[in-house]
Amino acid sequence: MNNNPNAPIIILVRPQLGENIGKAARAMLNFGLTEMRLVNPRDGWPNPMAGPTSAGADIVIEQTQVFDTLAQAVADIPNIYATTVRKRGVTKPLVSPEQAAAECFTSAGRNAILFGTERSGLATGEVAMARKILTVPINPEFGSLNLAQAVVLCAYEWSKTQNMASPPVTEIEPAAPQIELDGMVEQLFGMLDERGYFFPKERTEVTQSTLRNLLTKPAWNSGEVRTVRGILSVLKKGKRSGRVL
Amino acid sequence: MNNNPNAPIIILVRPQLGENIGKAARAMLNFGLTEMRLVNPRDGWPNPMAGPTSAGADIVIEQTQVFDTLAQAVADIPNIYATTVRKRGVTKPLVSPEQAAAECFTSAGRNAILFGTERSGLATGEVAMARKILTVPINPEFGSLNLAQAVVLCAYEWSKTQNMASPPVTEIEPAAPQIELDGMVEQLFGMLDERGYFFPKERTEVTQSTLRNLLTKPAWNSGEVRTVRGILSVLKKGKRSGRVL
């Protein structure tokens, strides 16, 4: 069993079929991953269809946590990978399952891998919350990888890192947990909204995704996020209001 | 598509469910393998249950060859790997999927990987026909890997030896030239100075270094720097000044 705190958390975003949740749980436990989170599962949770296909991966199923939103599900996690099959117009680092596993192995702070809904994957706004894109290099002429298979490849690559020596200790401050980043983002969005930045209204979502990508990229740590929030507070005030020290 | 003659042939020995044959075909084609052989499939062949689960991997399904015995199925193949989960009392070299893929890649002569029946795997006499044992290193406390998942891991490792394996080149824009970053930093410093942020004066240099580190970390590209400067301009203006589009 894998109790390594660097082991990635598997987050299924808007999964449709309970059977697939069970299969994902089985694939995880096959390779020592135990922590699954669900975001807004279509048929609720617990789901009686998940048990049989999990084939006895009870420890995963029973500990699964459910969240209403992706933001809540990743609130405590600094290092987030979004799985996508197709290239998207996002400018984030792209890694293979092997690279992602190696990064998780040596990361500061916890890791999570996001998997989108079976039919259409992750939405643009969901991808925007991730620091990196995880893509399985697949046959370009036949690219339909199902959910459990995508999970098993990521879990398998993680398991390979576990045979290695103890990881080198990194001295980089971990990126701030997502909830701290979100607080900063919301503060900025609020200020921009007051000034009419989000115009026209129908472009708001796209613009916000762009800004979120831009602000996720730095991997700012908690102290840096606090500094930026301090800057925003100062900019929000009138001139010469002075700095609170 | 993979036409490398070294690509392993996937041989399913006494498979029970047509659904699983279809899933195996899909897993193969996902990672560029196209040649499947069946030994004495329980429900005959073709099997109408295989089509739907193959999800369009017709090229694999249509070319599948069927044999009455394993001996016939491997008659033309020099390098045979038998997959097993548990160690058996056989004295053969044991390889991982990764090692097997590397060996196939550089082998003289064709390669095949044998997968046993879903319920109980390969029989002892079937394992005896193989040159090596291929074992997926799996959670010792939860070792039930299903057929399609065992196939997908082997196919995935093979694909890594091919060009397909290299992840698509990331399209990340290079970081903005320093002069552009400096322009942004100076713009922010000016705004902060107006608001009395740099206080006390003798700390200004240290504070500015801190902010410069923070703003250098993201490696924002030119477009992102322009976006941030646009945000700063909006924040500098009074409320509801509107966005210039």
Side-chain angles (χ1 to χ4, degrees), chain B residues 70-148:
Chain B
L70 178 57
Q72 292 167 349
V74 297
D76 58 334
I77 302 171
N79 307 314
I80 303 169
Y81 296 84
T83 56
T84 68
V85 173
R86 290 169 217 84
K87 281 186 194 170
R88 292 165 187 260
V90 289
T91 52
K92 289 181 195 289
L94 200 66
V95 296
S96 67
E98 191 172 10
Q99 291 168 315
E103 290 178 3
C104 289
F105 185 60
T106 58
S107 72
R110 298 217 65 190
N111 305 284
I113 305 175
L114 313 183
F115 295 84
T117 187
E118 292 95 322
R119 192 169 42 79
S120 53
L122 292 167
T124 305
E126 292 161 348
V127 173
M129 302 196 67
R131 188 144 295 131
K132 297 193 178 184
I133 305 285
L134 194 168
T135 294
V136 180
I138 202 168
N139 181 350
E141 298 170 23
F142 188 73
S144 70
L145 195 64
N146 76 26
L147 179 60

Side-chain angles (χ1 to χ4, degrees), chain A residues 81 94-105 134-135 157, chain B residues 156 167:
Chain A
Y81 296 85
L94 200 66
V95 296
S96 66
E98 192 172 9
Q99 291 170 314
E103 290 179 2
C104 289
F105 185 61
L134 194 167
T135 294
E157 287 288 5
Chain B
Y156 165 74

